[in-house]
Amino acid sequence: MTTSDHRWPVWPWLVLTVAGVVVTVVAAIVGTTTGVNDAAEPAPVTVTVTATQFQASTVKVTVTVPPPPEVPATALLDGIHTVGVEVQPGVYQTTGPSGTNAGGCYWTRSDGAGGVIENGVITGPGTLTIRLNELVETAGCQPWQKVG
């Protein structure tokens, strides 16, 4: 028999091929199973929470409010005033804006519920008539003096 007539046995090649296919299939199955488990079950995370409990309680506070003047004033300063309680009803005049309000001297008369009766803005001297139980507000004005 010559070397060219020599045949190699087939069974070792067949065993190695089958073994390679089995190893590849097992690796694919294990890799797929491991990937599914990792995605489905993430590692547990520990979180610490600190809570503070508050209790509601009632607190009584006493505030002393000065009484209104015994005699209502005869001058209006900036602010809201009740006519007949804080300031006397009548006719008041001002020399005009004080310079604290860019728009001029603003005034308004309101009824007891806050509904506007009349309002306006003046840029020079002005006159205002206020009546009992009205609210009068001024802003940015020189003091209003009662003249009648």
Side-chain angles (χ1 to χ4, degrees):
M1 187 170 164
T2 65
T3 43
S4 62
D5 291 337
H6 186 282
R7 292 187 86 186
W8 293 96
V10 178
W11 69 267
W13 292 105
L14 185 63
V15 169
L16 288 175
T17 302
V18 170
V21 169
V22 170
V23 168
T24 303
V25 169
V26 170
I29 291 172
V30 170
T32 302
T33 304
T34 303
V36 170
N37 285 342
D38 287 345
E41 297 177 27
V45 176
T46 303
V47 177
T48 304
V49 176
T50 303
T52 304
Q53 183 177 359
F54 294 99
Q55 287 184 308
S57 62
T58 303
V59 178
K60 287 188 175 185
V61 177
T62 304
V63 177
T64 304
V65 178
E70 291 180 25
V71 177
T74 58
L76 286 173
L77 303 177
D78 282 354
I80 301 173
H81 308 281
T82 305
V83 180
V85 177
E86 299 172 58
V87 66
Q88 294 180 9
V91 179
Y92 287 78
Q93 289 183 336
T94 182
T95 56
S98 64
T100 59
N101 187 358
C105 169
Y106 171 79
W107 60 270
T108 185
R109 292 175 43 225
S110 305
D111 60 25
V116 175
I117 298 170
E118 183 180 23
N119 64 1
V121 176
I122 57 174
T123 57
T127 302
L128 176 63
T129 301
I130 56 176
R131 294 178 178 77
L132 191 61
N133 298 322
E134 291 181 346
L135 297 175
V136 62
E137 177 181 7
T138 67
C141 305
Q142 294 290 336
W144 295 78
Q145 300 297 326
K146 185 174 182 194
V147 294

